[in-house]
Amino acid sequence: MTHSRKLKGAMLIGAYLLATTMLTMPGKALAEDRPVITVAVQQIVNAGALDVLREQSNVGARVFYSIFETLIDYDRQNADLPQKPGLATEWKRIDDKTVELKLRPGVKFHNGDVMTADDVVFTFSKERFGLLDEQDNARKDGKTLFTASASTAVGGKVPPAEVAAVAKRAWPNLDRVEKVDDMTVRFVSTVADPTLEGRISRYGAEILSKRAYEEAESWLAFAQKPVGTGPYKVVEFKPDNILVLEAHDDYWGGKPPIKTLRFAVVPEVASRVNGLLSGEYDFITDLPPDQINTVESNAAFEVVGGPITNHRLMVFDKNNGPMQNPKIRQAMTHAIDRETIVETLWDGRTTVPAGLQWSYYGDMFLSDWTVPEYDMELARKLVQESGYNGEEITFRVLNNYYTNQVSTAQINAESFRQIGLNVKIEMKENWQQIFDKESGPRMVRDWSNSAPFPDPVSSIVNQHCQNGQQQQVGEWTNEEFNALCIKLETSTDLEERRASFRRMLEIAEREDPAYTVLHQSAIFFGKRKDIEWNWSGLQSMDFRADNFQVVAPGN
Amino acid sequence: MVQYLLMKIFRALVTVTLIVSAAFVVLRLSGDPAIIILGPEAPPEAFEAFRRNWGLDQPIWVQYFKYFVAVAQGDLGNSMRDGRSALVVVGERIPLTLAITLPALFIKLAIGLPAGVVAALYRNTWVDRLIMMLSVAGFTVPSFVLGLVLAMIFAVWLGWLPSGGSDTWAHAVLPTVTMGLVGAAVIARFTRSAMLEVLGQPYIRTASAKGLLWRNVVRSHALPNAAIPTLTIIGFLVGSLVAGAVVVESVFSWPGVGRLLVNAVANRDLAVVQVILLLVGLTMVGANLAVDILYGIVDPRLRIKRLQAGS
């Protein structure tokens, strides 16, 4: 090779390196005493936009707490998840339908505006929810498939239809949010609502900047770079790739401890673990239990995490085949060895809960309630009493949509066979196939339920009552249960509510099983050991100063 | 020649239409984007609203018809995940994919071609066996395994390179090398086979018998004749430049077209999948066309045949 050819070769390589760098290099943080922290996540948000009313998955909760805040917050690192002041410093009941809140003074949005009652009123307005008639009409006009963005629901200030639907569901009885003065607001319900404080604190009730929303080009533009009050502001968001947040130094809770917080999408578990161990990432999320030892075998890293406000369930369709007989469903609930599942598949790092409820329900938590006991003899007896004649029971399962889903299904199916049931696992690719009625009778499937605020309304009512998914897809219904749903939602008498909830659990978990709780879901994070940081049962990642500290910088 | 090209383009259009139609039917019938994108805990009203909004509540033949009318008018649709134009969503990923697939192609050719030729020239010696052993290993080890092993060695143990992401040029090294090594193994095997076939031909014996130096026989007679089948496989590799990095992009968290395709299929985000399929189809067709033209340049006999067929 001649000298000039070598030179050409070197130039070509140099040009490639330069081009690659230019294509891929993000803006570098300037010298700064605070660290740049990278969190490797399986996904930033499923719905592709940073809108709490569109993103209904638990993955979004991880990132949103850094950007947005609610009026009433939780002590998120406390296992009991007690409520605490957030953007409101105090609140009081005016009557059964009304809660008044005093806003925290001096709270600044990422755009520098000071938060006032106007922002709160706007956040819960029909306009923001996409419920105005003109927004509805605009959506109807743009119903055409695959048209340009200007004529679809995401064009202009019209949120997609699902945002309106989620808002309606989150606030079924909200009449209005009214401004009392600049720093005082009132939430007024159309009916007596004992859950109003809970709803105000829930995921989906985060306060937005009115001015930023109105100035944004479109709903989508705002949802790509939303303006909230959280400790970090959005700098760059590329769905499926990266979310870059920067410290919001005017944050009311003190200067954030991290200069740049990056959430990088790393879909493969092995790649996330490799990246953590090689120092590429400071945190990794969605670590399955079988990878915990791999991370902890390195002294520089540790795993934190545990049970969250989500339970794994097995759900029954009572309309088909042997499932019509409640004794078969009861037998199944008694044939599940929940403790063994928790010990073997979860290494004992989660728990078997007391039915579809969480201790953070406070006064509404029924501490003496339990899941059906594991009793194979009782289960066999119930099968015999049912007159079961060996008909096939299909159990539809997704390929580990939930952690350990397939292993759990296999263990349970084997138990069901041991009590004499002819259970067949059907692997499905997606939720449509799970719900599909055409491909065969639906009988048993997997699911999980969250409790976005501390009241049974947030879970058993939202998911299993008349408007909940299970009844909406036609899997199960019960007249007495449905009457109790209304009582639980509207009664303000604590004892009456507790009694209603207890009876609902008796019906849905014991007498006419709609579902059975398997175990509490759990999440695990791998992290640098030199970072002091605690996880939250609400699944949010908190990077505020009181929950993040590098104890041995430079490693 | 023009008629030949027109025929090729017509066939390509038919192929692309069939691919896009098949993808439409399969994706529409096998999953509901509403539940996948909004999540199974979203309220039923949200699913209905989503379906209504994107026309998913209409009969599939209506959806199909509207889609093709829109495509014919140049509208390839929007992503159901974030509402952006599918063309924009895909377009912003292409440079990133090319940033690893182009140098990977270079590695494939730089290693695969000489390795295949050398293996053929030293047939049944230890050199041939060594090259073929490595080639079979590269050919059979799945790229995600090779990628993870390379990441383990160079990122976790040695700490020389990042294990994933796309922040700097260093992040491109491991995915590029992974794809390059796997592809080189394929090319080496094809090149060796092609060379062995040519080396067994009478004209090679004749050339040797005439007293030509062996290196001249190889350079002037063997290599040009072995180029035809090798060109075919190179054409295939060029054609897969755009979406040929699905696995490697996932392993190394490289946000290119391949990973977008995986996500779009999982989410049943049809417009995005269709744009990628169109892109892949067009790249494949373009590459095949280029290879066809190159056949004629490399082998004049083919050119003459085509001219005769056209006259």
Side-chain angles (χ1 to χ4, degrees):
Chain A
M1 189 183 269
T2 64
H3 180 70
S4 69
R5 277 186 182 170
K6 279 182 185 170
L7 192 64
K8 274 183 188 168
M11 282 170 68
L12 273 174
I13 293 169
Y16 162 65
L17 295 180
L18 184 67
T20 315
T21 306
M22 286 170 68
L23 284 167
T24 59
M25 204 158 112
K28 290 283 176 192
L30 296 173
E32 162 67 57
D33 55 344
R34 290 175 294 180
V36 174
I37 293 293
T38 302
V39 184
V41 296
Q42 191 187 16
Q43 184 56 281
I44 299 166
V45 283
N46 285 338
L50 301 174
D51 186 337
V52 289
L53 289 180
R54 181 147 199 258
E55 181 65 30
Q56 290 294 292
S57 73
N58 51 6
V59 296
R62 269 194 309 242
V63 297
F64 288 152
Y65 191 54
S66 292
I67 306 166
F68 308 107
E69 291 171 308
T70 48
L71 295 168
I72 302 174
D73 198 0
Y74 295 91
D75 188 351
R76 288 170 185 256
Q77 280 70 51
N78 183 326
D80 294 331
L81 296 168
Q83 286 184 328
K84 70 172 190 181
L87 296 180
T89 52
E90 56 187 279
W91 55 95
K92 64 178 179 193
R93 274 268 165 183
I94 303 294
D95 55 41
D96 285 352
K97 298 179 182 175
T98 313
V99 173
E100 183 176 284
L101 300 102
K102 292 278 178 202
L103 302 184
R104 187 179 292 281
V107 172
K108 279 193 177 173
F109 284 108
H110 300 150
N111 62 358
D113 289 358
V114 174
M115 182 191 73
T116 68
D118 292 329
D119 297 297
V120 179
V121 171
F122 171 77
T123 298
F124 300 95
S125 65
K126 281 191 167 184
E127 183 188 353
R128 147 67 180 147
F129 286 172
L131 293 170
L132 294 173
D133 288 343
E134 54 263 40
Q135 289 172 315
D136 203 31
N137 291 336
R139 279 194 293 266
K140 280 175 187 159
D141 290 345
K143 203 175 142 185
T144 321
L145 247 190
F146 304 113
T147 50
S149 64
S151 56
T152 64
V154 293
K157 287 292 167 48
V158 184
E162 59 272 17
V163 166
V166 170
K168 257 192 209 166
R169 171 56 72 89
W171 299 95
N173 303 314
L174 184 69
D175 184 38
R176 63 190 183 278
V177 177
E178 58 186 33
K179 176 180 174 180
V180 177
D181 60 46
D182 267 357
M183 299 307 283
T184 311
V185 291
R186 277 185 184 169
F187 282 70
V188 184
S189 204
T190 52
V191 293
D193 188 354
T195 66
L196 205 44
E197 292 89 339
R199 292 182 194 277
I200 293 168
S201 68
R202 65 165 290 165
Y203 168 85
E206 289 79 357
I207 305 301
L208 308 179
S209 160
K210 183 185 179 201
R211 184 173 71 91
Y213 191 92
E214 287 174 349
E215 285 178 1
E217 244 176 49
S218 64
W219 169 83
L220 181 62
F222 186 83
Q224 296 280 341
K225 203 171 180 182
V227 176
T229 62
Y232 300 93
K233 54 189 170 189
V234 179
V235 175
E236 183 186 14
F237 172 53
K238 291 183 181 169
D240 298 336
N241 184 6
I242 196 153
L243 169 66
V244 181
L245 306 178
E246 208 165 76
H248 171 39
D249 285 337
D250 287 335
Y251 179 58
W252 62 270
K255 202 173 170 184
I258 298 166
K259 175 63 185 166
T260 305
L261 179 57
R262 304 167 76 244
F263 289 91
V265 177
V266 184
E268 298 297 321
V269 176
S271 304
R272 289 199 294 278
V273 171
N274 274 348
L276 178 73
L277 300 180
S278 66
E280 186 79 4
Y281 314 124
D282 305 288
F283 290 83
I284 58 172
T285 67
D286 307 296
L287 190 69
D290 61 1
Q291 290 292 313
I292 289 175
N293 286 340
T294 311
V295 172
E296 290 191 331
S297 61
N298 188 318
F301 303 95
E302 65 181 354
V303 174
V304 294
I308 56 173
T309 51
N310 178 282
H311 290 342
R312 273 276 284 110
L313 315 179
M314 181 184 287
V315 180
F316 306 120
D317 187 326
K318 70 185 238 184
N319 303 299
N320 298 314
M323 304 307 290
Q324 294 173 68
N325 190 329
K327 283 187 188 290
I328 291 292
R329 283 175 273 140
Q330 288 166 4
M332 293 173 98
T333 67
H334 287 292
I336 296 170
D337 189 353
R338 298 171 179 81
E339 293 294 345
T340 299
I341 289 169
V342 164
E343 282 307 314
T344 54
L345 299 181
W346 293 87
D347 197 23
R349 290 173 186 257
T350 187
T351 57
V352 178
L356 190 55
Q357 54 169 350
W358 288 261
S359 58
Y360 97 128
Y361 281 0
D363 290 341
M364 286 302 294
F365 180 68
L366 305 177
S367 56
D368 59 340
W369 186 257
T370 61
V371 289
E373 64 277 20
Y374 173 56
D375 186 339
M376 293 295 272
E377 281 313 306
L378 175 61
R380 284 191 193 98
K381 190 166 160 264
L382 286 163
V383 172
Q384 280 167 6
E385 288 172 6
S386 72
Y388 175 66
N389 60 7
E391 282 176 83
E392 190 172 80
I393 295 175
T394 52
F395 181 5
R396 295 181 179 179
V397 178
L398 290 171
N399 186 16
N400 285 333
Y401 178 86
Y402 302 111
T403 305
N404 289 327
Q405 184 179 3
V406 174
S407 315
T408 306
Q410 285 168 340
I411 289 173
N412 290 334
E414 193 48 44
S415 289
F416 297 153
R417 286 182 199 118
Q418 284 182 21
I419 60 170
L421 298 177
N422 176 18
V423 172
K424 180 187 165 199
I425 289 182
E426 287 182 348
M427 294 304 296
K428 299 291 177 187
E429 195 205 341
N430 54 51
W431 284 99
Q432 187 190 23
Q433 294 172 11
I434 292 283
F435 291 124
D436 185 36
K437 286 182 185 173
E438 309 300 322
S439 60
R442 293 183 312 204
M443 295 190 190
V444 186
R445 69 168 167 110
D446 279 323
W447 200 20
S448 79
N449 280 179
S450 293
F453 57 89
D455 193 278
V457 169
S458 71
S459 51
I460 200 163
V461 171
N462 264 358
Q463 306 292 6
H464 301 278
C465 284
Q466 297 90 321
N467 293 321
Q469 188 190 87
Q470 201 180 5
Q471 294 205 39
Q472 291 280 314
V473 300
E475 286 176 324
W476 182 90
T477 190
N478 182 295
E479 210 172 307
E480 184 189 355
F481 181 90
N482 287 355
L484 291 164
C485 291
I486 296 164
K487 202 174 275 184
L488 185 64
E489 237 180 330
T490 54
S491 169
T492 52
D493 181 312
L494 179 64
E495 284 316 309
E496 187 180 41
R497 296 191 77 231
R498 278 176 62 88
S500 300
F501 181 39
R502 181 180 296 278
R503 182 68 193 128
M504 287 170 77
L505 289 176
E506 281 169 4
I507 295 168
E509 298 189 0
R510 301 274 185 166
E511 290 175 14
D512 181 18
Y515 63 85
T516 192
V517 174
L518 300 176
H519 58 77
Q520 193 158 359
S521 302
I523 51 171
F524 301 102
F525 302 86
K527 68 178 227 359
R528 277 167 45 190
K529 214 178 225 173
D530 63 342
I531 294 176
E532 282 183 359
W533 180 86
N534 288 313
W535 61 285
S536 167
L538 287 175
Q539 305 178 61
S540 51
M541 294 187 81
D542 182 2
F543 293 104
R544 285 158 181 76
D546 56 1
N547 194 48
F548 179 95
Q549 193 185 0
V550 181
V551 288
N555 287 339
Chain B
M1 191 64 181
V2 172
Q3 193 185 356
Y4 173 76
L5 281 177
L6 284 174
M7 181 56 75
K8 281 273 172 191
I9 290 167
F10 174 73
R11 278 188 196 163
L13 282 174
V14 172
T15 307
V16 168
T17 306
L18 286 175
I19 292 171
V20 167
S21 301
F24 188 98
V25 173
V26 170
L27 289 180
R28 272 289 178 270
L29 293 183
S30 66
D32 178 4
I35 307 177
I36 298 167
I37 291 175
L38 299 180
E41 280 200 63
E45 306 93 292
F47 297 145
E48 281 165 29
F50 186 96
R51 290 181 195 124
R52 207 170 44 245
N53 192 43
W54 291 98
L56 304 172
D57 56 346
Q58 297 174 20
I60 190 165
W61 66 268
V62 175
Q63 296 180 41
Y64 182 77
F65 177 73
K66 286 187 174 178
Y67 174 69
F68 267 90
V69 169
V71 169
Q73 291 169 348
D75 176 11
L76 292 170
N78 293 356
S79 162
M80 279 187 265
R81 285 189 71 209
D82 59 15
R84 291 188 303 151
S85 154
L87 209 53
V88 172
V89 171
V90 176
E92 65 190 22
R93 302 292 189 102
I94 293 174
L96 282 159
T97 287
L98 292 179
I100 56 172
T101 51
L102 280 174
L105 180 66
F106 175 76
I107 292 174
K108 290 169 194 176
L109 298 177
I111 297 176
L113 286 177
V117 171
V118 169
L121 293 178
Y122 292 90
R123 186 185 186 185
N124 291 334
T125 66
W126 67 269
V127 177
D128 179 27
R129 289 194 187 98
L130 178 69
I131 290 173
M132 280 305 101
M133 190 183 75
L134 292 173
S135 171
V136 169
F139 192 67
T140 51
V141 173
S143 54
F144 74 89
V145 173
L146 181 63
L148 287 173
V149 169
L150 291 177
M152 181 65 80
I153 296 170
F154 293 100
V156 179
W157 293 348
L158 299 173
W160 292 352
L161 290 164
S163 64
S166 60
D167 293 351
T168 66
W169 65 267
H171 288 83
V173 174
L174 284 179
T176 302
V177 170
T178 304
M179 281 192 296
L181 291 180
V182 172
V186 177
I187 290 185
R189 283 169 57 81
F190 269 89
T191 308
R192 178 181 178 272
S193 300
M195 277 295 285
L196 285 178
E197 197 182 327
V198 170
L199 289 174
Q201 295 296 319
Y203 55 79
I204 297 291
R205 272 204 310 277
T206 307
S208 297
K210 280 198 302 188
L212 278 178
L213 286 174
W214 180 237
R215 66 167 181 270
N216 290 339
V217 174
V218 170
R219 193 180 60 207
S220 306
H221 297 277
L223 285 178
N225 284 295
I228 297 287
T230 311
L231 261 181
T232 309
I233 188 71
I234 292 173
F236 177 75
L237 292 173
V238 170
S240 61
L241 278 177
V242 175
V246 172
V247 175
V248 168
E249 285 184 3
S250 292
V251 169
F252 291 103
S253 317
W254 188 267
V257 177
R259 227 178 80 193
L260 179 67
L261 179 61
V262 172
N263 283 335
V265 169
N267 289 316
R268 299 296 188 269
D269 198 350
L270 186 72
V272 174
V273 175
Q274 299 289 41
V275 168
I276 296 175
L277 290 181
L278 282 171
L279 198 66
V280 172
L282 292 175
T283 319
M284 279 288 181
V285 168
N288 281 338
L289 206 59
V291 166
D292 273 357
I293 293 165
L294 281 174
Y295 282 163
I297 294 168
V298 172
D299 189 343
R301 287 170 300 179
L302 290 173
R303 197 165 56 224
I304 291 162
K305 266 186 201 166
R306 274 182 207 151
L307 286 173
Q308 285 168 347
S311 61

